[in-house]
Amino acid sequence: MGRSSTVKETQALFQSLRSAYAATPNNLKIIDVYVGFAVLTAVIQVVYMAVVGSFPFNSFLSGVLSCIGTAVLAVCLRIQVNKDNKEFKDVAPERAFADFILCNLVLHLVIMNFMG
Amino acid sequence: MARSLPGFLALIVAVALICCSFAAAASTFQPISESHRSAALETFDRSYGSLEETYEALQTFDVLGVERKPDVGTAACQSVSQTLVSSSSTLKDIFYALKVNGVLKCEVDADSVEGIVSTLQTAVGSASSLLEFYHSIGGLVLVKNQALKDDLYLADAEGVFRSIKALSQSDGRWRYSSSNPESSTYAAGLALEALAGVISLSSSEIDQSLIGTTKNDILKLFERVEKYDDGAVYFDGEESDAHENQGPITSTWSVIRGITSFAAVTSGNLNLPGEKILGLAKFFLGVGIPGDAKDFFNQVDSLACLENNRVAIPLILSLPATVNSLTRKDTLKVKVSTVLGSDAPPLKIKLVRAKDTPAIESQELKFDSANKVHVLDTLEKSVDVGNYIFVFEIVFNDPEHKKAYAVESKTEVPIFLTGAVKVGNAKIAVLDSDLGSIETQNLDFAGENLVSLGANHLQKLKLRFQLTTPLGHPFKPHQAILKLTHESKVEHVFVVGNTGKQFEIVLDFLGLVEKFYYLSGKYEIQLTVGDAVMNSFFRVIGHLDLDLPEAPEKAPRPPVQPADVYSRYGPKAEIAHIFRAPEKRPPQELLRLGVNLKNFPSAAAPAAFAALFHVGIGAVLLLYVFFWLKLDLFTTLKILGFLGVFLLFVGHRTLSHLASTSSKVKSA
């Protein structure tokens, strides 16, 4: 009796999460997709390394780090662009996007250097 | 000496029941009367399903002294014999069969009696629930009282007593069995009756301490009573899914049966206050005539138990008529009787005082032994018309009776003293401001003459009269209203003012012209005088020809008198509802992967910048590829510097343009 009720509760929880998420604006959803893509790429690289071996290690590190780094930058962008977030009300979304682009370029320069 | 319930119920049948007719009594209680008997015939006039229903009907008829139909008796006796002979009868069936036998006194042969007694004795020994105890012990008590078997005793009466006592609770209620925690007041009544049965069936004395604790239980139970404002006291039942019959009437009935049977078999006092017993009687008398057969039986059986019990017999003070006419020289009659209407012991009734009327002094009522009423006949000399609250007190001739009977210390009864109020000195006159009275006519309210007057808007109408009570005092009624009705049925109502000694009203038509809607013509004059204690009347006094000036253009029209009074209840106009247009909802957009070309500026210069921005980013990324493939860091950094500056410039232009457009959209 108890188990089915917890199952029902988790189902209800997911339902409510899904319906709440559907309400988020589209631009945030795009950023979320991008973050998801970056993390997925990182996971694929780790799996590849686990299969093939970690030589050369620096390549692996740079690859994973680039994915994680861009994911982190995208999350920062999302935080700054989200209208509900009161701390970043003064920051125009375009400024946040410019920061995102700049940081990404710097990150990729470093990565390219490290990759060898 | 163990007294049994069927025994003294048979006694009651022998008592003569006096029927009294009565006007509606405000807050007094009336003992059982003729209307109860006829209602009983109606309520119980149906075929009875079970022995329980048969018993209830027969017992009710018995107590009320109603004659039952002969075939009912024979059919019931047959059913009784069958049940007592059959070996598959339940304890409940045997119990009710014996109860019916107690009322009807059917012929029961000795063999079936033996069989029944042995069944019941075994049942007592093996009983575990309260209902089993109640039915088996009750059956044995009935067998003993109907003298069907001699020398009937319970083996181990004290053990049975203890087992029943074990089901009691500390708040005075009883549980139905040791496994079920449900308890109720109804069960308490059953348990007390069963315990009384055990005491009556035991061959030796039961331990006095047990009886003492049971008496304490009864006192605890009585702490749970509910009260009404008029003094009625009852036990509120409990909600129960397993057992029905838990309402206030059934629970109170059960407790009354329990305590009266317990008091009958124990010596000493139960120490219950008389007001509570009187309150229980008032509760059942206050029920009136119940519609349900079970409630009827419960009411009648409880009153029969209270009629002749050893705790305190309640006596009811009632008045056959609370409305007395001074003109007809009615005397105030007061009756004291038991709940079923039997005679009370010799006593005196004193009128202590009348509330808020110091003129009425304390006096004793004379007893009319022929009609068994107490009479107060000095009223018309001292008391005028009106409504009063008389306070009566009962004093027993024999002071010993005070302990045996329960009476109210001071009974308050609302009394209406009515009388014929005379209208005298009635005059109606038309007054002119210059000439004084033009015509004055004397009104004779006794005769049929109608006066005929004429007036115009510059004159006044004056009506004057006096009202005198039978004792000669001026009287102020509740209503004195004058109504003038036009030929077109438009009515005007005025209240006649009182100047202490007489009633007078002056209608100044100059001020009333607008109120009368400028309607000239014949007006009917009608006077209404009304009060609860007088002979109220409304009379058409006469007609008035009123001459009013022409109505100006903007005068208010008289309200249209509806030709058909019910036309205002016809269907109304249809209402068309306007609904708000539904809100515009954004189209359902699922997540798509693609290029978002929204917000791409359409104008030329910003478009060029935007395109250059994307080209710049692409160039940087291409540079990185080359860096990885071929170039070294320093070259890369040099080129990156140039590209970066260019990108910053272009990006700044694009993004600020985008920001300004979006802020324009926001403010717009």
Side-chain angles (χ1 to χ4, degrees):
Chain A
M1 273 297 140
R3 273 195 76 196
S4 67
S5 68
T6 48
V7 166
K8 276 201 201 108
E9 279 167 18
T10 47
Q11 275 182 348
L13 187 63
F14 278 124
Q15 289 280 25
S16 64
L17 267 177
R18 199 192 297 180
S19 53
Y21 188 68
T24 55
N26 270 340
N27 49 355
L28 296 182
K29 280 190 195 158
I30 292 173
I31 298 175
D32 289 335
V33 173
Y34 179 72
V35 171
F37 158 71
V39 173
L40 182 69
T41 313
V43 167
I44 291 174
Q45 290 181 18
V46 171
V47 169
Y48 178 81
M49 182 215 80
V51 166
V52 167
S54 70
F55 182 79
F57 196 55
N58 55 330
S59 320
F60 161 68
L61 278 181
S62 67
V64 171
L65 219 57
S66 87
C67 294
I68 301 299
T70 192
V72 168
L73 289 173
V75 167
C76 293
L77 176 66
R78 189 187 197 279
I79 291 174
Q80 289 184 323
V81 159
N82 195 352
K83 289 198 200 51
D84 297 330
N85 208 334
K86 288 189 197 50
E87 287 169 353
F88 292 99
K89 231 176 8 163
D90 313 327
V91 175
E94 284 76 15
R95 167 68 198 277
F97 183 63
D99 286 341
F100 171 72
I101 296 290
L102 186 66
C103 296
N104 258 324
L105 290 177
V106 170
L107 174 72
H108 283 97
L109 175 68
V110 172
I111 291 303
M112 288 309 212
N113 190 24
F114 189 51
M115 209 151 49
Chain B
M1 174 49 199
R3 278 219 232 152
S4 59
L5 293 167
F8 59 75
L9 285 174
L11 233 161
I12 286 159
V13 175
V15 174
L17 294 160
I18 305 166
C19 56
C20 22
S21 60
F22 49 91
S27 71
T28 49
F29 296 92
Q30 299 284 346
I32 296 287
S33 69
E34 197 50 52
S35 43
H36 252 87
R37 252 164 252 122
S38 42
L41 278 171
E42 271 179 43
T43 315
F44 289 102
D45 183 23
R46 52 175 172 71
S47 58
Y48 310 123
S50 63
L51 275 170
E52 189 176 349
E53 288 177 21
T54 318
Y55 164 65
E56 287 174 5
L58 291 172
Q59 171 74 335
T60 312
F61 287 150
D62 212 25
V63 171
L64 293 176
V66 171
E67 258 201 52
R68 59 172 179 271
K69 300 193 193 127
D71 50 336
V72 168
T74 38
C77 271
Q78 262 186 349
S79 174
V80 164
S81 337
Q82 272 173 2
T83 317
L84 292 180
V85 167
S86 152
S87 54
S88 62
S89 311
T90 61
L91 279 176
K92 194 170 164 183
D93 289 335
I94 299 175
F95 176 70
Y96 280 111
L98 288 167
K99 281 235 179 216
V100 171
N101 189 40
V103 178
L104 294 177
K105 300 191 198 352
C106 312
E107 294 282 327
V108 182
D109 64 331
D111 290 332
S112 34
V113 170
E114 284 296 328
I116 291 299
V117 167
S118 63
T119 319
L120 292 173
Q121 294 268 25
T122 355
V124 172
S126 65
S128 57
S129 79
L130 182 62
L131 286 172
E132 285 170 14
F133 276 119
Y134 177 69
H135 288 136
S136 49
I137 295 173
L140 287 171
V141 168
L142 288 164
V143 166
K144 180 167 179 176
N145 290 336
Q146 293 164 25
L148 294 175
K149 185 173 155 65
D150 308 317
D151 290 333
L152 183 58
Y153 290 110
L154 261 186
D156 190 22
E158 206 164 294
V160 176
F161 196 103
R162 279 183 209 276
S163 333
I164 300 178
K165 195 77 183 53
L167 293 172
S168 71
Q169 270 184 190
S170 54
D171 62 359
R173 292 188 285 184
W174 243 266
R175 290 194 302 278
Y176 283 100
S177 70
S178 40
S179 52
N180 190 355
E182 225 182 80
S183 68
S184 73
T185 321
Y186 177 72
L190 297 181
L192 289 170
E193 211 179 325
L195 288 173
V198 169
I199 297 176
S200 70
L201 288 172
S202 99
S203 50
S204 57
E205 279 275 329
I206 302 258
D207 188 3
Q208 282 302 316
S209 63
L210 286 174
I211 298 186
T213 45
T214 315
K215 287 188 182 173
N216 280 340
D217 287 334
I218 295 179
L219 288 174
K220 278 231 91 70
L221 189 63
F222 265 80
E223 284 170 18
R224 298 176 54 83
V225 288
E226 308 270 344
K227 276 177 98 97
Y228 283 139
D229 287 335
D230 55 10
V233 150
Y234 67 99
F235 289 93
D236 209 4
E238 287 87 5
E239 290 286 325
S240 164
D241 302 321
H243 302 96
E244 18 154 317
N245 300 337
Q246 300 276 13
I249 291 186
T250 321
S251 302
T252 316
W253 163 75
S254 165
V255 172
I256 290 179
R257 273 195 81 87
I259 56 170
T260 47
S261 43
F262 194 80
V265 297
T266 51
S267 58
N269 237 333
L270 274 188
N271 284 334
L272 282 172
E275 300 124 23
K276 294 217 168 135
I277 304 292
L278 189 63
L280 291 171
K282 281 185 180 174
F283 172 68
F284 277 111
L285 289 177
V287 167
I289 297 183
D292 184 42
K294 194 146 191 89
D295 286 343
F296 206 113
F297 162 70
N298 287 342
Q299 179 199 38
V300 169
D301 198 33
S302 307
L303 293 174
C305 288
L306 288 172
E307 170 88 356
N308 219 343
N309 71 81
R310 273 194 57 196
V311 186
I313 301 180
L315 290 176
I316 304 289
L317 186 144
S318 60
L319 276 77
T322 49
V323 180
N324 289 75
S325 165
L326 293 175
T327 313
R328 282 200 318 238
K329 304 222 184 303
D330 286 347
T331 50
L332 188 69
K333 297 191 184 61
V334 181
K335 204 164 146 21
V336 176
S337 66
T338 63
V339 292
L340 288 182
S342 324
D343 292 336
L347 46 82
K348 292 199 212 334
I349 303 184
K350 270 208 311 202
L351 170 63
V352 176
R353 62 189 172 92
K355 265 182 147 183
D356 304 327
T357 316
I360 298 178
E361 319 148 334
S362 165
Q363 45 195 293
E364 205 178 281
L365 280 78
K366 293 201 210 41
F367 183 58
D368 178 2
S369 46
N371 296 329
K372 310 263 173 78
V373 284
H374 299 254
V375 167
L376 184 67
D377 55 6
T378 56
L379 273 181
E380 76 249 27
K381 301 184 187 73
S382 51
V383 184
D384 210 348
V385 295
N387 39 339
Y388 303 91
I389 299 182
F390 281 5
V391 181
F392 291 106
E393 195 186 343
I394 296 179
V395 175
F396 288 103
N397 287 357
D398 180 3
E400 285 296 314
H401 284 153
K402 251 186 137 175
K403 296 185 212 129
Y405 290 91
V407 291
E408 210 166 350
S409 50
K410 297 255 186 315
T411 320
E412 292 180 3
V413 181
I415 304 268
F416 285 88
L417 290 176
T418 67
V421 167
K422 285 194 281 287
V423 186
N425 250 343
K427 287 190 183 35
I428 188 164
V430 172
L431 302 173
D432 199 305
S433 40
D434 303 329
L435 303 172
S437 162
I438 294 188
E439 46 176 325
T440 312
Q441 299 202 25
N442 282 332
L443 290 171
D444 179 14
F445 283 98
E448 290 296 323
N449 308 333
L450 298 177
V451 300
S452 204
L453 301 164
N456 60 36
H457 66 286
L458 295 170
Q459 294 167 330
K460 302 188 180 93
L461 179 73
K462 178 161 152 180
L463 171 68
R464 195 200 311 175
F465 58 91
Q466 280 176 346
L467 292 174
T468 333
T469 67
L471 286 182
H473 304 134
F475 181 68
K476 186 155 185 262
H478 194 223
Q479 293 174 346
I481 291 175
L482 184 72
K483 188 156 87 166
L484 287 166
T485 316
H486 188 240
E487 304 158 314
S488 62
K489 309 252 179 300
V490 177
E491 298 175 343
H492 306 282
V493 176
F494 305 94
V495 174
V496 182
N498 183 333
T499 57
K501 273 212 168 283
Q502 63 179 0
F503 285 84
E504 187 176 297
I505 182 170
V506 176
L507 292 179
D508 188 357
F509 293 120
L510 197 56
L512 291 172
V513 168
E514 263 206 46
K515 187 167 188 279
F516 280 24
Y517 304 109
Y518 294 88
L519 289 170
S520 307
K522 201 160 175 196
Y523 281 83
E524 192 182 71
I525 307 173
Q526 193 185 78
L527 179 66
T528 309
V529 174
D531 194 274
V533 297
M534 68 173 273
N535 43 334
S536 314
F537 63 88
F538 80 85
R539 267 198 98 232
V540 174
I541 301 178
H543 300 280
L544 174 70
D545 262 314
L546 196 54
D547 197 9
L548 296 176
E550 282 296 319
E553 283 304 314
K554 297 235 188 71
R557 294 258 154 263
V560 177
Q561 307 296 318
D564 175 14
V565 184
Y566 296 101
S567 63
R568 70 173 96 160
Y569 297 112
K572 296 231 162 60
E574 178 123 354
I575 304 174
H577 296 274
I578 303 172
F579 292 99
R580 226 170 12 155
E583 292 170 1
K584 276 217 209 65
R585 305 220 123 223
Q588 269 302 50
E589 271 186 2
L590 300 168
L591 224 41
R592 287 176 307 167
L593 286 176
V595 180
N596 184 4
L597 285 176
K598 259 199 301 178
N599 273 343
F600 200 84
S602 41
F609 279 121
L612 277 178
F613 178 63
H614 288 289
V615 162
I617 291 182
V620 170
L621 293 175
L622 200 62
L623 174 65
Y624 286 166
V625 172
F626 278 128
F627 168 46
W628 186 46
L629 286 175
K630 207 153 65 133
L631 300 172
D632 65 358
L633 187 62
F634 301 106
T635 337
T636 317
L637 280 177
K638 244 195 322 204
I639 304 179
L640 186 61
F642 292 129
L643 272 179
V645 167
F646 164 73
L647 190 61
L648 266 168
F649 171 70
V650 167
H652 183 260
R653 286 296 294 268
T654 312
L655 287 175
S656 54
H657 170 78
L658 270 180
S660 63
T661 46
S662 71
S663 66
K664 265 194 228 140
V665 166
K666 244 189 251 171
S667 57

